[in-house]
Amino acid sequence: MGALTGKYAVVTGAGRGIGAAIAKRFITENAAGVAILDYDGDAANAFASAAGGNHTVAVACDVSDRESVRAAFERIREAFGRVDILVNNAGITRDAIYHKMTDEQWDAVINVNLGGVHNCCRQVVAGMRERGYGKIVNISSSSAYGNVGQANYAATKAGLIGFTKTLAKELGGKNVTVNAVAPGMIDTDMVKTIPEPVLNAFIAASPAKRLGTPEEVAGAVLFLSCGDSAYVNGVVLDVNGGLFT
Ligand code: NAP
């Protein structure tokens, strides 16, 4: 037995980083099936075969592209029959000081981080309502509260909080919970783009004095994805080592 026995889950952006840690944890918790969605199908395939294959399906999908998302969820429904848990984890950064930010940088981040969440939720909400069961977890960020060079990213991560709280109110009566996790600085490829002095300043300011691990985020996501959080809806769970900027 595990916390997710009998449940079918989809994790977006699960080829590496935080998404891969979430998918691994779900498999450990005996999920009936975990769909690994990733922009790069090779990463998703590599992950699925390393995980043993039985409980996983790898799907190449660009969450910002509605047709790609529609096709991906069709494939997942063929494999699993239903989706009980959706973790909207796929995300990108295109950092620049706002007065130097290009429209391309703005659009790319809005389309993946916010549009992608909408596109994936659209695919599962009707079924969750009908079956009277569902768990949606959206990965926000401590940058939602403002971060220099991330006007585009912060707008999406703050937008996700409003989206999460609204869906929680709309779906709560159908036994569908919608929550968010807001990680601080987590040790993945994403933080490798941050200049070292900036990163070191964050670590020094953090009560934990270190970066978080993808596994520590996965633990919080698991709680919001399993039965233990049945009466938790519309919250933002900060996973940031106590660093509130
Ligand atoms: P990461 O290591 O850069 O991994 C991002 C994942 O998202 C990759 O698997 C990537 O696929 C996938 N992805 C990107 N664009 C996609 C698209 N259009 N469609 C489908 N998949 C796409 O990032 P991470 O650090 O694990 O971040 C995961 C989430 O946590 C993101 O939402 C991020 O904003 C959030 N977050 C991260 C931190 C942090 O410090 N790391 C802090 C707060 C919040 P490919 O491998 O194919 O490119």
Side-chain angles (χ1 to χ4, degrees), residues 80-214:
F80 293 164
R82 65 173 199 273
V83 176
D84 301 306
I85 301 162
L86 168 64
V87 182
N88 286 302
N89 166 79
I92 59 169
T93 53
R94 296 288 183 272
D95 295 354
I97 295 292
Y98 185 62
H99 69 272
K100 293 184 178 170
M101 187 175 285
T102 64
D103 285 345
E104 288 72 25
Q105 288 172 316
W106 176 267
D107 289 345
V109 172
I110 299 289
N111 292 343
V112 173
N113 295 12
L114 202 50
V117 174
H118 161 67
N119 292 340
C120 293
C121 283
R122 270 277 197 251
Q123 291 295 325
V124 302
V125 162
M128 287 179 173
R129 280 176 56 91
E130 273 166 34
R131 290 186 298 276
Y133 185 86
K135 295 275 185 188
I136 298 175
V137 182
N138 297 320
I139 306 300
S140 179
S141 168
S142 51
S143 294
Y145 308 106
N147 199 21
V148 172
Q150 293 198 312
N152 49 1
Y153 185 79
T156 62
K157 296 301 186 179
L160 272 189
I161 293 174
F163 180 78
T164 297
K165 288 179 181 287
T166 301
L167 258 59
K169 288 183 175 177
E170 292 184 4
L171 299 172
K174 298 286 184 187
N175 196 31
V176 177
T177 65
V178 187
N179 292 291
V181 170
M185 285 286 189
I186 309 300
D187 193 5
T188 69
D189 292 343
M190 189 173 269
V191 302
K192 294 194 172 80
T193 62
I194 298 169
E196 210 177 308
V198 177
L199 196 58
N200 288 338
F202 265 104
I203 293 169
S206 161
K209 304 285 177 226
R210 65 173 176 85
L211 297 176
T213 68

